[in-house]
């Protein structure tokens, strides 16, 4: 089936998922919406996040997408249930990897870096309550400013280092051994984060598990593209420009009003 896979995020964050997905699924056509006009989602109300997510899914449905990937933890944790009730296409979301961290921690302390609305969401807190063992402590931190800085594309590693130290050092002092990255944008900060945290702290990023899940879903629904034609990856943004540091040459990048 050569209908594209639809993907959306508030900006470049979901490209970290697409980057791996395009290698895992080399035949698949893809349409990616970067809703950077409305970025960041993380400080918006639940209703705003829901209506932006519905708008994005409707636009992706116009491209006849066979599946929609919500490549944004904030949109997933605040809207996935309603999206599945509203949109007629299978929807896959991404959530912070709490479960593996809780299952594997030895120090019984876990750090979670995510957006304000992800940390506040019902889905995040339900997952937390369902998986937390009595003796495991979760140390949450909102990644204030990080998404905006990444979207702007003008900040140096030094700038990120300065701000991330403020977020991570208190967690390190709590003796965490797992750091859950609960925002797809933060994938681009892994190098800087690794320079701050000691080696014994493992980073839980959900890029690989979500991609495996997408592959398994397409396979089980028998909707993988088996055709041998050269595939097409379209990236659309609706803001002034898209920070191009993270864009591969393979992508067709265009402005779209959505
Ligand atoms: N990439 C989104 C996420 O995973 C970014 C959130 C935002 O726009 O604030 O949560």
């Amino acid at each position: 089936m050569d209908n594209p896979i639809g993907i959306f995020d508030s900006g470049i964050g979901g490209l970290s998922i697409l980057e791996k997905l395009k290698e895992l699924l080399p035949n698949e056509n893809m349409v990616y919406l970067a809703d950077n006009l409305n970025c960041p989602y993380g400080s918006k109300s639940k209703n705003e996040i829901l209506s932006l997510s519905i708008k994005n899914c409707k636009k992706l449905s116009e491209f006849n997408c066979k599946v929609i990937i919500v490549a944004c933890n904030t949109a997933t944790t605040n809207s996935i249930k309603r999206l599945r009730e509203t949109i007629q296409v299978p929807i896959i979301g991404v959530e912070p990897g709490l479960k593996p961290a809780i299952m594997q921690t030895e120090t019984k302390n876990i750090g979670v870096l995510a957006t304000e609305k992800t940390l506040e969401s019902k889905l995040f807190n339900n997952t937390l309550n369902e998986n937390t063992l009595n003796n495991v402590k979760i140390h949450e931190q909102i990644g204030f400013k990080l998404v905006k800085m990444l979207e702007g594309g003008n900040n140096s590693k030094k700038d990120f280092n300065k701000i991330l130290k403020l977020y991570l050092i208190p967690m390190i002092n709590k003796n965490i051994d797992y750091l859950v990255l609960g925002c797809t944008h933060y994938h681009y900060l892994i190098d800087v984060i690794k320079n701050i945290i000691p080696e014994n702290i493992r980073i839980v990023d959900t890029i690989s598990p979500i991609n495996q899940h997408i592959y398994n879903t397409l396979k089980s629904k028998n909707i993988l593209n088996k055709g041998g034609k050269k595939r097409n990856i379209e990236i659309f943004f609706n803001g002034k420009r898209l920070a191009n540091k993270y864009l591969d040459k393979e992508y067709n990048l265009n402005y779209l009003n959505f």
Side-chain angles (χ1 to χ4, degrees):
M1 191 191 223
D2 64 4
N3 297 43
I5 296 174
I7 308 169
F8 81 84
D9 179 43
S10 61
I12 52 168
L15 290 174
S16 57
I17 292 178
L18 191 147
E19 248 331 273
K20 277 259 159 69
L21 192 64
K22 73 183 172 75
E23 280 161 28
L24 189 65
L25 297 170
N27 288 330
E28 298 296 334
N29 296 306
M30 300 181 192
V31 177
Y32 181 98
L33 299 183
D35 188 15
N36 60 342
L37 180 70
N38 297 298
C39 189
Y41 282 7
S43 50
K44 293 196 160 40
S45 72
K46 188 177 165 65
N47 277 344
E48 279 175 303
I49 297 166
L50 176 62
S51 58
L52 290 170
S53 300
I54 291 177
K55 164 190 74 83
N56 297 334
C57 286
K58 286 196 170 152
K59 186 46 86 181
L60 288 171
S61 302
E62 288 173 21
F63 288 91
N64 293 320
C65 293
K66 57 186 171 187
V67 63
I68 291 177
I69 317 303
V70 185
C72 173
N73 294 260
T74 311
T76 301
T77 52
N78 285 278
S79 68
I80 195 137
K81 191 165 173 275
R82 290 286 299 280
L83 286 180
R84 289 190 173 130
E85 287 161 7
T86 317
I87 306 291
Q88 299 311 313
V89 179
I91 295 182
I92 298 173
V94 61
E95 281 180 66
L98 286 171
K99 203 172 168 181
I102 291 172
M103 295 307 153
Q104 292 169 73
T105 177
E106 283 173 11
T107 65
K108 309 291 176 208
N109 283 283
I110 291 166
V112 184
L113 188 64
T115 70
E116 184 182 340
K117 280 297 178 301
T118 292
L119 294 174
E120 268 180 23
S121 68
K122 208 170 152 191
L123 185 59
F124 175 83
N125 286 290
N126 284 349
T127 310
L128 196 60
N129 294 336
E130 279 161 22
N131 292 289
T132 307
L133 307 169
N134 284 339
N135 52 350
V136 176
K137 289 201 182 73
I138 310 290
H139 306 282
E140 296 175 6
Q141 172 64 52
I142 298 171
F144 293 111
K145 293 194 197 150
L146 295 175
V147 170
K148 259 195 168 166
M149 286 166 73
L150 285 162
E151 288 292 326
N154 298 319
N155 288 97
S156 63
K157 281 195 173 177
K158 217 171 147 194
D159 298 332
F160 285 109
N161 184 64
K162 205 170 152 194
I163 190 160
L164 278 164
K165 269 187 172 163
L166 295 175
Y167 300 159
L168 300 175
I169 287 175
M171 294 184 184
I172 298 168
N173 290 341
K174 299 275 189 217
N175 198 24
I176 62 163
D177 59 353
Y178 279 83
L179 173 65
V180 177
L181 298 186
C183 171
T184 50
H185 280 79
Y186 303 165
H187 180 78
Y188 299 117
L189 298 173
I190 286 182
D191 281 355
V192 185
I193 292 173
K194 280 190 175 159
N195 275 329
I196 300 172
I197 60 175
E199 270 178 24
N200 71 305
I201 301 182
R202 305 231 175 117
I203 296 176
V204 183
D205 189 344
T206 34
I207 309 287
S208 295
I210 174 130
N211 277 314
Q212 199 53 51
H213 183 53
I214 297 165
Y215 173 82
N216 294 345
T217 306
L218 295 184
K219 196 162 188 251
S220 70
K221 290 187 182 294
N222 205 16
I223 52 173
L224 280 165
N225 188 2
K226 295 186 183 119
K229 270 196 268 167
K230 191 177 178 302
R231 61 93 170 276
N232 199 16
I233 302 182
E234 307 263 12
I235 314 273
F236 295 104
F237 62 97
N238 57 3
K240 278 203 187 110
R241 62 176 191 98
L242 194 66
N244 54 14
K245 231 181 191 165
Y246 309 101
L247 296 171
D248 194 308
K249 285 196 192 72
E250 190 189 352
Y251 307 149
N252 296 312
L253 178 68
N254 282 298
Y255 171 84
L256 182 71
N257 186 3
F258 62 93

Coordinates of all heavy atoms in Angstrom, one line a residue, residues 128-159:
L128 N 2.1 6.5 35.4 CA 3.0 6.5 36.5 C 2.4 5.7 37.7 O 3.1 4.9 38.3 CB 3.1 8.0 36.9 CG 4.2 8.4 37.9 CD1 5.6 8.0 37.2 CD2 4.2 9.9 38.1
N129 N 1.1 6.0 38.0 CA 0.5 5.3 39.1 C 0.4 3.8 38.9 O 0.5 3.0 39.8 CB -0.9 5.8 39.4 CG -0.8 7.3 39.8 OD1 0.2 7.7 40.4 ND2 -1.9 8.1 39.6
E130 N 0.2 3.4 37.6 CA 0.0 2.0 37.3 C 1.4 1.2 37.5 O 1.4 0.0 37.7 CB -0.5 1.7 35.9 CG -2.0 1.9 35.8 CD -2.4 2.1 34.4 OE1 -1.7 1.8 33.4 OE2 -3.5 2.7 34.2
N131 N 2.5 2.0 37.2 CA 3.8 1.3 37.2 C 4.7 1.6 38.4 O 5.6 0.9 38.6 CB 4.5 1.7 35.9 CG 3.9 1.1 34.7 OD1 3.9 -0.1 34.5 ND2 3.2 2.0 34.0
T132 N 4.4 2.6 39.2 CA 5.3 3.0 40.2 C 5.2 1.9 41.4 O 4.2 1.5 41.8 CB 4.9 4.4 40.8 OG1 4.9 5.3 39.7 CG2 6.0 4.8 41.8
L133 N 6.4 1.5 41.8 CA 6.5 0.7 42.9 C 6.7 1.6 44.1 O 7.3 2.7 44.0 CB 7.7 -0.3 42.7 CG 7.7 -1.0 41.4 CD1 9.0 -1.7 41.1 CD2 6.6 -2.0 41.4
N134 N 6.2 1.2 45.2 CA 6.3 2.0 46.4 C 7.6 2.7 46.7 O 7.7 3.8 47.1 CB 5.9 1.2 47.7 CG 4.4 1.0 47.7 OD1 3.7 1.7 47.0 ND2 4.0 -0.1 48.3
N135 N 8.6 1.9 46.5 CA 10.0 2.4 46.9 C 10.7 3.2 45.8 O 11.8 3.5 45.9 CB 10.8 1.3 47.4 CG 10.9 0.2 46.4 OD1 10.1 0.2 45.4 ND2 11.8 -0.8 46.6
V136 N 10.0 3.5 44.6 CA 10.7 4.2 43.6 C 10.2 5.7 43.6 O 9.0 5.9 43.6 CB 10.4 3.6 42.2 CG1 11.0 4.4 41.0 CG2 10.9 2.1 42.1
K137 N 11.2 6.6 43.6 CA 10.8 8.0 43.6 C 11.1 8.6 42.2 O 12.1 8.3 41.5 CB 11.7 8.8 44.6 CG 11.4 8.4 46.0 CD 11.9 9.6 46.9 CE 11.7 9.3 48.4 NZ 12.6 8.2 48.9
I138 N 10.1 9.4 41.8 CA 10.2 10.0 40.4 C 10.5 11.5 40.6 O 9.7 12.2 41.4 CB 8.8 9.9 39.7 CG1 8.3 8.4 39.7 CG2 8.9 10.4 38.3 CD1 9.1 7.4 38.9
H139 N 11.5 12.0 40.0 CA 11.9 13.4 40.1 C 11.6 14.1 38.8 O 12.2 13.8 37.7 CB 13.3 13.5 40.5 CG 13.7 12.8 41.7 ND1 13.4 13.2 43.0 CD2 14.2 11.5 41.8 CE1 13.8 12.3 43.8 NE2 14.3 11.2 43.2
E140 N 10.5 14.9 38.7 CA 10.1 15.5 37.5 C 10.6 16.9 37.3 O 10.8 17.7 38.3 CB 8.5 15.6 37.5 CG 7.8 14.3 37.5 CD 6.3 14.4 37.7 OE1 5.8 15.6 37.6 OE2 5.7 13.4 37.8
Q141 N 10.9 17.2 36.1 CA 11.4 18.6 35.8 C 10.8 19.0 34.4 O 10.9 18.3 33.4 CB 13.0 18.6 35.7 CG 13.6 19.9 35.2 CD 13.3 21.1 36.1 OE1 13.6 21.0 37.3 NE2 12.8 22.2 35.6
I142 N 10.3 20.2 34.4 CA 9.8 20.8 33.2 C 11.0 21.4 32.4 O 11.8 22.1 33.0 CB 8.7 21.9 33.4 CG1 7.5 21.4 34.2 CG2 8.3 22.6 32.2 CD1 6.6 22.4 34.7
G143 N 11.0 21.1 31.1 CA 12.2 21.6 30.3 C 11.9 23.0 29.8 O 12.0 23.2 28.6
F144 N 11.6 23.9 30.7 CA 11.3 25.3 30.3 C 12.3 25.8 29.2 O 13.5 25.6 29.4 CB 11.4 26.2 31.5 CG 10.4 26.0 32.5 CD1 10.7 25.5 33.8 CD2 9.1 26.3 32.3 CE1 9.8 25.3 34.8 CE2 8.1 26.1 33.3 CZ 8.5 25.6 34.5
K145 N 11.8 26.4 28.2 CA 12.6 27.1 27.2 C 13.3 26.2 26.2 O 13.7 26.7 25.1 CB 13.7 28.0 27.8 CG 13.2 29.2 28.6 CD 14.4 30.1 28.9 CE 14.0 31.1 30.0 NZ 15.2 31.5 30.7
L146 N 13.5 24.9 26.5 CA 14.3 24.1 25.6 C 13.7 24.0 24.2 O 14.4 24.1 23.2 CB 14.5 22.7 26.2 CG 15.3 22.6 27.5 CD1 15.3 21.2 28.0 CD2 16.7 23.1 27.3
V147 N 12.4 23.8 24.1 CA 11.8 23.6 22.8 C 11.9 24.9 21.9 O 12.3 24.8 20.8 CB 10.3 23.1 22.9 CG1 9.5 23.2 21.6 CG2 10.2 21.7 23.5
K148 N 11.6 26.0 22.6 CA 11.7 27.3 21.9 C 13.1 27.5 21.3 O 13.3 28.0 20.2 CB 11.3 28.4 22.8 CG 9.9 28.9 22.6 CD 9.7 30.2 23.3 CE 8.4 30.9 22.8 NZ 8.0 32.0 23.6
M149 N 14.1 27.2 22.2 CA 15.5 27.4 21.8 C 15.9 26.5 20.6 O 16.5 26.9 19.7 CB 16.4 27.1 23.0 CG 16.4 28.2 24.1 SD 17.2 27.6 25.6 CE 18.9 27.6 25.2
L150 N 15.4 25.2 20.7 CA 15.7 24.3 19.6 C 15.1 24.8 18.3 O 15.7 24.7 17.2 CB 15.3 22.9 19.9 CG 16.2 22.2 20.9 CD1 15.4 21.0 21.6 CD2 17.4 21.7 20.3
E151 N 13.8 25.2 18.4 CA 13.1 25.7 17.2 C 13.8 26.9 16.6 O 13.8 27.1 15.4 CB 11.6 26.0 17.6 CG 10.8 24.8 17.8 CD 10.5 23.9 16.6 OE1 10.4 24.5 15.5 OE2 10.5 22.7 16.7
G152 N 14.3 27.8 17.5 CA 14.9 29.0 17.0 C 16.2 28.7 16.2 O 16.5 29.4 15.2
G153 N 16.9 27.6 16.6 CA 18.0 27.2 15.8 C 19.3 28.1 16.0 O 20.2 28.0 15.3
N154 N 19.2 29.0 17.0 CA 20.3 30.0 17.1 C 21.2 29.8 18.3 O 22.1 30.6 18.6 CB 19.7 31.4 17.2 CG 19.0 31.8 15.9 OD1 19.5 31.4 14.8 ND2 17.8 32.4 16.0
N155 N 20.8 28.8 19.2 CA 21.6 28.7 20.4 C 22.7 27.7 20.3 O 22.6 26.7 19.5 CB 20.6 28.2 21.5 CG 19.7 29.4 22.0 OD1 18.6 29.5 21.5 ND2 20.2 30.2 22.8
S156 N 23.8 27.9 21.0 CA 25.0 27.1 21.0 C 24.8 26.0 22.0 O 24.0 26.0 22.9 CB 26.2 27.9 21.3 OG 26.1 28.4 22.6
K157 N 25.7 25.0 21.9 CA 25.7 23.9 22.9 C 26.0 24.4 24.3 O 25.4 23.9 25.3 CB 26.8 22.9 22.5 CG 26.4 21.9 21.4 CD 27.3 20.7 21.3 CE 26.8 19.8 20.3 NZ 27.6 18.6 20.1
K158 N 26.8 25.5 24.3 CA 27.1 26.1 25.6 C 25.8 26.7 26.3 O 25.6 26.5 27.5 CB 28.1 27.3 25.3 CG 29.1 27.4 26.4 CD 30.1 28.4 25.9 CE 30.6 29.2 27.1 NZ 31.4 30.4 26.8
D159 N 24.9 27.3 25.4 CA 23.7 27.8 26.0 C 22.8 26.7 26.6 O 22.2 26.8 27.6 CB 22.8 28.5 24.9 CG 23.5 29.7 24.3 OD1 24.3 30.3 25.0 OD2 23.3 30.0 23.1

